Amino acid sequence: MIKVIDFIHTNRDRYVSELKDYLAIPSISALPEHQGDVRRCAEWTAEEMTRVGLENVKLVETPGNPVVYGDWLHAEGAPTILFYGHYDVQPVDPLDLWETPPFEASVRDGEIYARGSADDKGQVFMHFKAIEAHMKQHGKLPVNLRVIIEGEEEVGSKNLDNFIKANKDTLGADVVVISDSAMFDRGVPSICYGLRGLTYFQIDVRGTNSDLHSGIFGGSVANPAMVLAQMLAKMRDTSGRIRVPGFYDDVRELTQAERDEWKKLPWSDKRYMKELGAPKLFGETGFTTLERRWGRPTLEVNGMLSGFTGEGAKTVLPAVAMAKVSMRLVPDQHPDKIADLFEAYVKELAPKTVEVKVTRMHGGKPWMADFDNTYVRAAGRAIEQGFGKTPVFCREGGSIPVVATFQEELGIPSVLFGVGLPDENAHAPNEKLDLDNFHNGIVASAILYEEIGSRR
Ligand code: BES
Ligand code: ZN
């Protein structure tokens, strides 16, 4: 192991320069005009997987973006890890808020800035380099490894469930390892044992055939922007409770034991508020900030569009209004059931003066693991050696839809060990990854393979 760790330390600069090439590919899965880039990124991923020594590397076509697969299965008698990550990234708008271009990675104060640096190419690349270090030093891995890197995570992993169901036989493994989350805090590495689920909607409201003069027509027909705002205002009350009937029926209440554990984490509301620039925090009454983020569901408006939004004033009565609305779900809420309840509630709220269309976009199940298993303990030891600190256990508010599928379809538990930071700006301008964490993460990943490989 010492040779592997030495190798990683010696190659630090090369890793950063290679990662920059990976980050230069604008693999934005949400935007059709980037489809070519997404494919190019899949190809780059496959080439890199071959370079580091994985075998049987291929692009597996799906109705959407290809899944990149590779494996190394020669550690006889050792367990098999299924490593999952994603090569697609989120859109970069608003572009003018980026200090340096999103696809020209730039290093400042020990952080690498680029779209995908933390979420998730940088963290995927960390594992590629851990594989490479073992292969270069010993010509083999201490564990069997299958790797799948998908290209649709940021748009809901629509085709991945089918890929997994169709390839059940070839995806056999003992544990799934994922690095697509953040550490609890700088200097506080963590293992994540829970994720929220998601269900996502677009609501379109149409009032008339065309925009109208607001003086000539105003007051005689409904205003879609106003109607939509009124509908949205009825979805959540001022104490943060969601008003969709039946929404809370399946919510698993937090246990006192878990709440007590979370209270021990090094957390400050004051600092959080300051870092976010929020004048005051807001959330469901009766819950702490961590409980609100990790253990309670929420409903958010992700975007709205209607009428005149340019500079100056225009007296117009908009013909249409649109909102994107999503809900984060906790165990044991089911995205399809919540989606049905939400649709029914939107229909109930819709006045007869407008036409309302509800479109389901995507969803994913929440996930929560039992964190006292041999793989989690192995990860704990690996992180401890890589970061010089014992990891804390936390849940996360974000979603990785496939984690529940791994559990349900393949019966494989997941270990989530992320090295991003809470201020990594994922999905926002100036996304970044701390290079010390990236580097320690390569060491920890290499040790993790060794640790898991030794449980024969
Ligand atoms: N890496 C994130 C998920 C995440 C973020 C997990 C922070 C834990 C902590 C992932 O790439 C992501 O953003 N997922 C989407 C999924 C959605 C599009 C179905 C999300 O959570 O919005
Ligand atoms: Zn991600």
Side-chain angles (χ1 to χ4, degrees):
M1 207 54 224
I2 292 172
K3 272 171 76 181
V4 171
I5 296 173
D6 278 350
F7 179 86
I8 295 170
H9 289 323
T10 326
N11 282 275
R12 196 177 162 126
D13 293 342
R14 173 174 65 88
Y15 296 158
V16 175
S17 93
E18 289 175 4
L19 176 58
K20 284 184 176 174
D21 292 341
Y22 200 15
L23 296 173
I25 310 170
S27 49
I28 306 171
S29 51
L31 304 176
E33 62 268 33
H34 282 283
Q35 223 180 327
D37 298 317
V38 170
R39 178 156 292 268
R40 193 152 59 83
C41 195
E43 282 159 4
W44 198 100
T45 305
E47 283 156 20
E48 176 65 15
M49 281 164 56
T50 306
R51 273 196 292 274
V52 301
L54 292 170
E55 299 172 350
N56 302 308
V57 174
K58 58 186 175 189
L59 300 198
V60 183
E61 297 301 332
T62 73
N65 302 330
V67 175
V68 189
Y69 174 88
D71 61 31
W72 193 91
L73 301 168
H74 307 293
E76 224 173 290
T80 301
I81 295 176
L82 176 59
F83 174 69
Y84 162 86
H86 62 95
Y87 64 82
D88 64 323
V89 300
Q90 287 274 338
V92 295
D93 56 286
L95 192 57
D96 54 315
L97 294 184
W98 285 79
E99 278 167 32
T100 47
F103 297 108
E104 290 169 35
S106 128
V107 174
R108 300 193 289 280
D109 300 329
E111 320 246 18
I112 186 161
Y113 287 80
R115 174 57 89 231
S117 53
D119 186 8
D120 179 33
K121 287 178 186 169
Q123 300 202 58
V124 164
F125 199 68
M126 179 176 100
H127 283 268
F128 290 167
K129 296 297 106 173
I131 296 167
E132 183 190 71
H134 278 290
M135 293 303 288
K136 279 258 161 45
Q137 289 307 308
H138 298 301
K140 60 181 186 176
L141 296 179
V143 72
N144 296 300
L145 188 61
R146 296 179 195 277
V147 174
I148 53 174
I149 312 296
E150 73 149 319
E152 297 186 310
E153 198 276 346
E154 300 292 7
V155 287
S157 301
K158 297 189 272 293
N159 295 298
L160 196 66
D161 277 9
N162 281 339
F163 166 85
I164 288 168
K165 284 177 198 155
N167 293 281
K168 265 188 175 175
D169 301 340
T170 45
L171 292 177
D174 299 283
V175 60
V176 176
V177 171
I178 302 176
S179 291
D180 188 21
S181 51
M183 299 179 11
F184 181 73
D185 198 357
R186 193 176 284 279
V188 189
S190 51
I191 293 177
C192 167
Y193 66 93
L195 293 165
R196 288 196 287 191
L198 184 78
T199 178
Y200 200 114
F201 285 91
Q202 176 167 329
I203 304 175
D204 287 281
V205 179
R206 194 190 67 82
T208 50
N209 290 329
S210 140
D211 284 0
L212 300 170
H213 188 294
S214 69
I216 301 173
F217 299 97
S220 67
V221 285
N223 179 322
M226 192 68 91
V227 168
L228 182 58
Q230 284 164 339
M231 288 170 63
L232 294 173
K234 287 184 187 131
M235 289 180 184
R236 207 169 70 176
D237 70 17
T238 49
S239 69
R241 286 284 292 186
I242 294 147
R243 295 179 59 186
V244 178
F247 185 86
Y248 290 95
D249 286 358
D250 300 325
V251 169
R252 197 191 301 173
E253 292 303 326
L254 288 163
T255 63
Q256 195 53 49
E258 197 172 28
R259 298 179 89 168
D260 290 344
E261 280 307 311
W262 294 357
K263 288 211 176 80
K264 292 183 204 151
L265 294 170
W267 178 262
S268 154
D269 265 358
K270 230 186 189 162
R271 182 182 145 206
Y272 184 62
M273 210 163 92
K274 201 162 154 231
E275 276 173 3
L276 296 184
K280 198 170 185 294
L281 296 181
F282 169 79
E284 192 182 355
T285 306
F287 294 93
T288 66
T289 301
L290 288 181
E291 289 164 1
R292 289 166 176 171
R293 290 171 51 198
W294 296 353
R296 297 296 298 171
T298 184
L299 180 151
E300 304 290 348
V301 175
N302 299 109
M304 287 166 82
L305 199 63
S306 184
F308 178 68
T309 56
E311 264 181 60
K314 179 185 179 196
T315 46
V316 66
L317 208 165
V320 293
M322 185 277 282
K324 310 257 187 193
V325 177
S326 66
M327 283 147 277
R328 294 282 170 175
L329 312 176
V330 298
D332 299 300
Q333 290 178 297
H334 193 292
D336 294 342
K337 183 176 169 194
I338 296 296
D340 289 342
L341 294 173
F342 180 77
E343 254 188 72
Y345 188 51
V346 173
K347 291 201 175 118
E348 184 190 317
L349 293 179
K352 294 211 163 51
T353 50
V354 293
E355 271 173 28
V356 176
K357 192 173 120 207
V358 193
T359 312
R360 288 189 195 196
M361 315 282 280
H362 56 60
K365 289 183 190 163
W367 166 79
M368 197 164 120
D370 158 21
F371 53 86
D372 188 28
N373 67 50
T374 144
Y375 301 111
V376 169
R377 283 195 291 274
R381 283 193 297 276
I383 293 169
E384 202 163 328
Q385 291 175 67
F387 289 82
K389 294 248 174 78
T390 315
V392 299
F393 287 97
C394 58
R395 274 160 76 174
E396 282 283 5
S399 311
I400 307 175
V402 74
V403 181
T405 312
F406 285 135
Q407 187 65 54
E408 287 170 18
E409 289 295 326
L410 304 180
I412 315 178
S414 292
V415 175
L416 267 67
F417 129 64
V419 304
L421 284 175
D423 68 347
E424 69 190 10
N425 297 326
H427 298 198
N430 306 309
E431 179 179 344
K432 63 183 183 197
L433 179 66
D434 182 282
L435 286 174
D436 283 338
N437 290 341
F438 169 65
H439 195 73
N440 294 339
I442 300 173
V443 175
S445 305
I447 296 172
L448 179 62
Y449 302 162
E450 176 82 26
E451 284 280 347
I452 293 181
S454 67
R455 358 239 78 234
R456 289 174 187 252

